[in-house]
Amino acid sequence: MSTIAVAVLGTGAVADRLVAGIERRPDLRSTGRTTPALPVPDGTACVLYVPSLAEIATDAPKDVVTRLLRDGYDVVSALPPGADLPVADVRAACRAGDSTFHATGGFQTAIATRILRSLSEVTTDIRRIELEEELDLPLAGVYPWNALGDIGIGGTEVAARSAVAAVADYYEAGLHALDDAAFAGTGEPGVSPAVSVEVRLDDAGAVEKVIVDRALGPRIGYRSIWSAGTTDDAPLRYRLVTSTDTAKGATTLRVAAGEGVHPAEHLTCVGLLDAVRPIHDSGQGIAHRDLSITYLMPDERLITRRR
């Protein structure tokens, strides 16, 4: 099996872990880390791009991803296409560079989306899907937050609300994937989710918890509860509820930390690394597929809808 030369474009702990992960895999070879301001290391074939919240806030991914693709590099990104990464621009860049792009969604939401999507595809009478995510964050944060302050925990309500807006595309991509899987995209086609945010303050007036409710029409709801880490050995938890006309089923999923790595960041890294070879071996264009479920099968449902 040939070895694929991979560069990591990003900062923080998630970039460190990606480089280490590349070096542990016999089919991949690290060419190093870089930033948008520096050239891609010589010999690189594929770039893993993990943009920070600061980059996303300045619309940097639109320029970074399209430049890499035009230059002929395959790109696997944690950021899904959407407002921060226009689909038409990415497709044009792929054509120009004869390159391939794939967005893993690079976020802990992928695990809940995959499980519910798999359940939905074998159950034809689901009428409503509800998810509840509880994410306990360490001091160093998890991607794309590099610190608790990035999500506003311990800080101000304004910072917390800004952090919610910054990750909107990550969650929207998962919601539309579920809508298409369970309801054939008939619920709210082309419509962004309705979002409400509750910020809870401690006695000193600092943010201690952020609760975000997202609704994609009347049939899909997603509640996220973000707070500082506790002693709980499962810092990522989900409750998945599906309802039919006659019954309701619920599943609780607890994801434990391992070897000092938060499960949310572990899921991000695994998704990116596992995508390198199939994307490098794919033809030119955007690869619309969830590699963990429909390996090498075209899947248009995993692309964020255009606004």
Side-chain angles (χ1 to χ4, degrees):
M1 180 183 294
S2 62
T3 301
I4 301 172
V6 183
V8 175
L9 199 166
T11 59
V14 69
D16 294 336
R17 293 192 176 106
L18 284 171
V19 172
I22 293 168
E23 293 173 345
R24 287 194 297 267
R25 296 177 69 123
D27 61 329
L28 305 179
R29 175 174 61 85
S30 174
T31 60
R33 286 176 57 173
T34 187
T35 68
L38 298 174
V40 176
D42 291 341
T44 297
C46 181
V47 176
L48 297 182
Y49 181 38
V50 282
S52 66
L53 286 179
E55 291 175 74
I56 295 171
T58 61
D59 290 335
K62 295 179 183 179
D63 296 325
V64 173
V65 169
T66 53
R67 170 172 53 82
L68 291 169
L69 293 168
R70 284 195 302 269
D71 288 345
Y73 300 106
D74 295 327
V75 177
V76 178
S77 173
L79 180 66
D84 297 310
L85 198 56
V87 172
D89 293 353
V90 173
R91 285 182 174 148
C94 289
R95 288 193 296 270
D98 192 23
S99 52
T100 308
F101 174 82
H102 175 63
T104 65
F107 212 43
Q108 72 276 358
T109 54
I111 190 169
T113 299
R114 289 165 182 164
I115 290 172
L116 266 178
R117 184 182 149 195
S118 296
L119 292 172
S120 300
E121 289 186 325
V122 297
T123 307
T124 58
D125 57 350
I126 288 177
R127 296 294 177 262
R128 179 166 172 79
I129 292 173
E130 299 168 77
L131 294 83
E132 183 173 282
E133 164 194 86
E134 293 182 271
L135 177 62
D136 293 345
L137 292 153
L139 287 175
V142 296
Y143 180 80
W145 304 294
N146 287 326
L148 278 177
D150 288 347
I151 197 173
I153 303 296
T156 67
E157 180 172 349
V158 171
R161 291 183 179 276
S162 295
V164 171
V167 296
D169 278 353
Y170 289 98
Y171 283 92
E172 183 170 336
L175 284 166
H176 278 299
L178 284 176
D179 178 42
D180 285 346
F183 308 119
T186 60
E188 293 289 324
V191 176
S192 295
V195 181
S196 63
V197 182
E198 178 186 353
V199 179
R200 295 185 182 175
L201 309 178
D202 60 20
D203 293 339
V207 175
E208 65 176 2
K209 185 173 290 187
V210 181
I211 302 173
V212 188
D213 284 294
R214 297 174 175 86
L216 190 61
R219 297 193 289 190
I220 298 179
Y222 197 143
R223 166 169 284 198
S224 301
I225 303 172
W226 303 328
S227 58
T230 67
T231 56
D232 196 305
D233 63 354
L236 179 60
R237 303 177 296 279
Y238 286 97
R239 179 173 171 79
L240 318 175
V241 180
T242 55
S243 302
T244 68
D245 288 338
T246 58
K248 178 178 289 189
T251 301
T252 298
L253 183 68
R254 296 167 60 86
V255 189
E259 299 181 359
V261 179
H262 194 284
E265 200 137 275
H266 173 74
L267 291 167
T268 295
C269 291
V270 168
L272 289 163
L273 292 169
D274 284 350
V276 171
R277 178 160 294 279
I279 294 311
H280 182 68
D281 292 344
S282 295
Q284 168 265 316
I286 301 177
H288 304 310
R289 59 180 134 250
D290 184 335
L291 300 169
S292 69
I293 302 176
T294 52
Y295 187 75
L296 291 182
M297 290 179 60
D299 192 344
E300 292 289 340
R301 290 173 302 187
L302 295 178
I303 198 74
T304 304
R305 295 178 185 277
R306 299 185 194 182
R307 288 182 173 86

